[in-house]
Amino acid sequence: MIQSSGNLQDSNCDVPTFSVRRNGRKEQLTYSQLFAAAHRIWSAGNFQKAKQIFAELSAIADRGPRAQIFLAHCHVMLGDYAKCSSILNRSLPKEVYGDAAGQLHDAFVLWKVGLFVDVKNGLKSLALAHAKLPVFSLLLADLLQSTGAQELSARFFRRAVDNDRPDGAVALAARSTLKSMSNN
């Protein structure tokens, strides 16, 4: 279990680390490592705990909208649709991402009510339109995996890895999930 202390710590390098408690021990995790851990918690359906971690990650300004997108999803799954919409509109500005915030909000609401075919179509459209934002491929892969489409989900997990930096947060989360899929 990860318990974030809420403190961003400076380390001896340029990569900020977060002080967390995991299995009773205090550890320092990078943004990418904490994102991947939060993704595992989110994947397990613990949206309240994942929301806390994604909120902390969202406070880091130069990391793009990936944590905010997962934070918004946590809010929908916990029934706070307005907060989800607010986060998405702030993190996916219309002048950069077009109507992505609205499309993603709709997909998240449909996800909450279990209309997975419509969610899949919406996320696939976003993943293809915004390939440089690999979080859409990660979300689609997660959805596909949860509905039993293992082969197709693996393809989108690999796409998320390929479209992120090698040490990127989304790539780390996707690689971790791919590894766990191959072990099962």
Side-chain angles (χ1 to χ4, degrees):
M1 184 63 115
I2 296 176
Q3 298 218 336
S4 176
S5 69
N7 295 328
L8 180 62
Q9 311 258 328
D10 274 348
S11 63
N12 293 331
C13 61
D14 290 336
V15 178
T17 60
F18 295 82
S19 179
V20 299
R21 284 218 172 273
R22 185 162 45 181
N23 300 325
R25 291 189 346 239
K26 188 174 180 179
E27 296 181 33
Q28 296 295 114
L29 298 179
T30 65
Y31 178 98
S32 294
Q33 291 168 327
L34 188 56
F35 182 93
H39 178 260
R40 283 189 298 277
I41 292 166
W42 174 89
S43 294
N46 189 343
F47 300 114
Q48 186 63 43
K49 183 65 180 169
K51 180 182 90 166
Q52 294 169 350
I53 298 169
F54 285 125
E56 185 171 331
L57 291 171
S58 293
I60 306 300
D62 66 345
R63 299 300 171 130
R66 64 183 67 86
Q68 291 89 342
I69 289 170
F70 274 93
L71 176 61
H73 185 269
C74 290
H75 279 285
V76 159
M77 298 308 280
L78 296 168
D80 191 346
Y81 303 101
K83 184 70 171 176
C84 169
S85 182
S86 172
I87 291 168
L88 291 175
N89 284 315
R90 201 172 47 249
S91 62
L92 297 169
K94 194 178 251 335
E95 59 274 5
V96 178
Y97 297 103
D99 193 30
Q103 290 175 1
L104 193 55
H105 183 268
D106 291 348
F108 285 172
V109 171
L110 293 170
W111 191 324
K112 168 78 172 162
V113 298
L115 298 175
F116 299 124
V117 171
D118 294 326
V119 178
K120 181 184 84 166
N121 292 336
L123 289 176
K124 185 175 181 183
S125 172
L126 288 166
L128 296 175
H130 302 282
K132 293 187 185 222
L133 195 57
V135 69
F136 295 132
S137 292
L138 180 62
L139 283 164
L140 178 57
D142 288 320
L143 174 75
L144 291 167
Q145 183 185 32
S146 73
T147 61
Q150 300 301 321
E151 189 174 312
L152 191 53
S153 71
R155 194 168 103 208
F156 278 94
F157 281 124
R158 285 190 292 277
R159 180 182 169 93
V161 170
D162 292 344
N163 289 338
D164 200 10
R165 295 183 331 271
D167 63 340
V170 169
L172 184 60
R175 276 195 301 272
S176 175
T177 305
L178 279 167
K179 184 178 177 184
S180 69
M181 288 172 66
S182 68
N183 290 338
N184 291 334

